[in-house]
Amino acid sequence: MCGIIGIASFKDISKEILASLKKLEYRGYDSAGISTINNGEIVENKCAGKVSDLEKLIKKTSLSGNIGIGHVRWATHGAPNQINAHPHSSDEVSVVHNGIIENSSIIKKELVEKGHVFKSQTDTEVITHLITENLKKMNYLDSVFETLKKLEGSFALGIIFKKFNNLIVGARRGSPLAVGYADKEKYLGSDSYALNSMTKEVSYLDDGDICVLTKDKIDFFDKNKKKIEKKVHKLTQEKESYSKGNFKDFMSKEISEQPEVIKKCINEYLDKIRKEINIVNFPIDPKKISKVNLIACGTAYHACIVGKYWFEEFTNIDVNVDVASEFRYRNNKIKENELYIFVSQSGETADTIAALEFCKKEGAKTCAIVNVTESSLSRLSDLVLPIHVGAEIGVASTKAFTGQILVLLLFILKIAKIRNEIKADEYSNIIKDLENVHSHVTLILNNKKSIEELAEDFINIKGSMFLGRGLSYPIALEGALKFKELTYLHAEGYPAGEMKHGPLALVENGMPVIVIAPKDRFYDKTISNMQEVIARGGKILLISDHAEEITTSENVWSEIRLPQIHKFLSPFLSTIPLQLLAYYVALKKGNDIDKPRNLAKSVTVE
Ligand code: F6R
């Protein structure tokens, strides 16, 4: 959700800033901009559109400078146009911002009364004017501290100054910010991914921290202006995850990586000789856990619902699942021996982090299931379980979902084993079958041509429904989410048993209804619900691993037959055709696959 880059160097940095902005485009892609200090002046270039548009603009202006900041925007205040694009500059200062300033209209009113003239509709511009005002009476660092005191809301900031032209100031409250180190060059970035190609050594700012970068060093201050030290972390993620290779887009690459990702993740957690799951250091002794709360947003929330079904299947623990944006504002009561599990690909989702912070404040024990292990969520949690899927760049989450449910399952099985709530043979059977999941996923991927052909029939539909029961219910939700975010076509995910309580009214002749019905204990019931849809003219795409023919199969429009698998492992397989379906429909409609409209990868505003 918006991306920030800043570079303080001994050499010209405009090309490096542009290259980093391209990598950051997954966070926001409705406008982009860059400011440098050039011959003692702030030079600002920005435009609506993508970084490639900014690049064209900059070619015409021959931008140079050793100190610079850049930004890609995901609009919150003000339309995505050139004026609202960041940076926002005055004669004295230029600012890039991620987050939301909640009291911007009050501050703006005060500044307008003092004679400041605003150009944009953004909340960010108040920061530029506040610093400019403060600079009249104080030095650059004090002017930033004073400005931050007035701001309510969340921010990560990158600031450069005309008069203090060898430095960049960064500040963090709520929105993540990292710095990176290289010889005679220092970096500021909204995430370590932006810095990864330039350095492997990074530090993370905590809430309230401010940093000052020059080409030679980085100084850190806490919110009381006290100088502080920061730990330097080594970045670990492999470089090849950041390239599309021979794939058309990141999403198709990430879908196709799933067999490897599953194998790798199982390798990380499973002792293959003892057939034992290696998870230790539980924040609460598993035998004492009285309740588990799973909290996340979007796709990760759907993974949590899958987790709830598994928890209930394998343990006697009470389970609650929450969308983070709801959880954080409910009147929650944290009790002893309740475990709070947060699931997130990025580890930077504002609502999920706020929910975690609330739990920590109330003394809860927490665990994070994350992809980006250097993220805020990881750093705040008592136990971190990485999903080991490599960088996920496509905005629509695919391999991360698979990794999230895999780690959830391993975690749940381990807890069930320690609590003696799962039979030894069931535990070992599931583990044995889990080790084969990757080969089943490969079979489904090998059959993607047939899903590509099916996709043709979805291009002009009015709307669709995705139905499932039990473990297939969250998969239906996830299938519908993937479908709507990529294809821009309406899709509803529903528990199949709920259809007759309302949504059946939507079904009309020819409406596509995707039914996920693996051969588990819900199979017959789901097929009955399917018949009710067929009777109203629904056009069924059945996703199932059933072996026998369905008696009324002539009414099923099309089928995707899945390989047979342990009844509790069906989510790993049924998810894949739904990802492919959304992908191919979007591709045929000519939509931007990796950057669907109005969305961003990392949702760092609430
Ligand atoms: C959908 C999608 C989003 C994310 C959600 C949470 O394809 O990617 O719904 O799952 O924004 O993001 P993370 O997992 O980074 O917390």
Side-chain angles (χ1 to χ4, degrees), residues 27-45:
R27 295 178 70 106
Y29 34 86
D30 54 42
S31 52
I34 177 169
S35 278
T36 58
I37 306 289
N38 196 357
N39 289 329
E41 294 295 330
I42 292 170
V43 182
E44 178 195 279
N45 282 275

Side-chain angles (χ1 to χ4, degrees), residues 138-316:
M138 47 189 103
N139 70 26
Y140 73 92
L141 200 53
D142 288 339
S143 74
V144 173
F145 271 109
E146 283 310 304
T147 298
L148 301 191
K149 276 191 208 159
K150 288 208 87 164
L151 302 180
E152 283 168 22
S154 69
F155 51 78
L157 298 173
I159 308 160
I160 57 172
F161 304 83
K162 177 178 156 180
K163 293 209 180 98
F164 310 92
N165 57 13
N166 66 336
L167 56 86
I168 303 174
V169 173
R172 172 191 171 152
R173 191 195 297 159
S175 296
L177 199 61
V179 294
Y181 307 82
D183 191 26
K184 292 209 192 109
E185 202 160 87
K186 303 290 174 282
Y187 314 99
L188 183 74
S190 42
D191 58 30
S192 52
Y193 171 60
L195 309 180
N196 199 290
S197 60
M198 301 183 285
T199 177
K200 290 281 174 271
E201 292 191 341
V202 299
S203 298
Y204 299 98
L205 273 75
D206 291 309
D207 271 349
D209 289 351
I210 288 189
C211 61
V212 180
L213 289 77
T214 63
K215 68 179 177 14
D216 299 313
K217 62 170 184 157
I218 306 178
D219 289 325
F220 298 94
F221 303 87
D222 69 10
K223 62 173 186 289
N224 303 316
K225 258 196 270 180
K226 198 171 133 239
K227 232 172 162 191
I228 47 173
E229 295 296 318
K230 286 275 154 191
K231 202 170 146 198
V232 178
H233 301 258
K234 287 258 180 243
L235 291 180
T236 49
Q237 280 188 334
E238 322 88 78
K239 259 194 169 161
E240 56 276 18
S241 332
Y242 300 145
S243 126
K244 268 190 272 200
N246 293 327
F247 288 86
K248 228 192 200 115
D249 36 64
F250 278 106
M251 186 181 177
S252 56
K253 175 175 180 262
E254 288 156 8
I255 290 176
S256 75
E257 280 171 355
Q258 288 174 109
E260 276 314 305
V261 154
I262 292 169
K263 262 200 284 183
K264 182 166 178 237
C265 188
I266 291 177
N267 270 336
E268 294 283 344
Y269 284 100
L270 193 66
D271 177 335
K272 299 231 167 176
I273 297 168
R274 287 164 48 243
K275 297 284 173 210
E276 191 50 83
I277 297 162
N278 283 329
I279 297 178
V280 289
N281 297 333
F282 291 86
I284 304 177
D285 174 355
K287 289 191 181 129
K288 293 193 178 144
I289 297 174
S290 59
K291 187 175 174 193
V292 158
N293 297 276
L294 295 147
I295 298 161
C297 301
T299 289
Y301 168 69
H302 298 153
C304 289
I305 308 178
V306 176
K308 174 182 164 78
Y309 281 92
W310 279 330
F311 257 117
E312 287 174 351
E313 203 60 60
F314 302 127
T315 75
N316 291 326

Side-chain angles (χ1 to χ4, degrees), residues 414-457:
K414 183 74 185 185
I415 290 176
K417 172 109 189 279
I418 295 172
R419 290 167 65 95
N420 285 324
E421 287 172 347
I422 185 168
K423 291 197 187 99
D425 57 342
E426 180 157 42
Y427 181 83
S428 51
N429 282 341
I430 295 177
I431 288 182
K432 197 165 97 239
D433 288 3
L434 249 185
E435 288 184 279
N436 286 325
V437 164
H438 69 92
S439 57
H440 297 318
V441 173
T442 304
L443 285 177
I444 303 170
L445 291 172
N446 288 345
N447 194 26
K448 63 182 178 209
K449 192 94 204 124
S450 65
I451 300 174
E452 185 177 359
E453 284 161 14
L454 274 178
E456 200 64 47
D457 286 297

Side-chain angles (χ1 to χ4, degrees), residues 296-302 343-350 352 369 377 392 394-398 400 404 478 481-482 485-486 599-603:
C297 301
T299 289
Y301 168 69
H302 298 153
V343 181
S344 173
Q345 188 286 127
S346 61
E348 300 295 356
T349 301
T352 313
I369 295 180
L377 207 68
E392 188 181 68
V395 164
S397 193
T398 52
Q404 286 161 354
E478 174 57 11
L481 176 64
K482 220 86 305 173
E485 71 175 322
L486 284 154
L599 300 178
K601 182 74 182 162
S602 193
V603 186

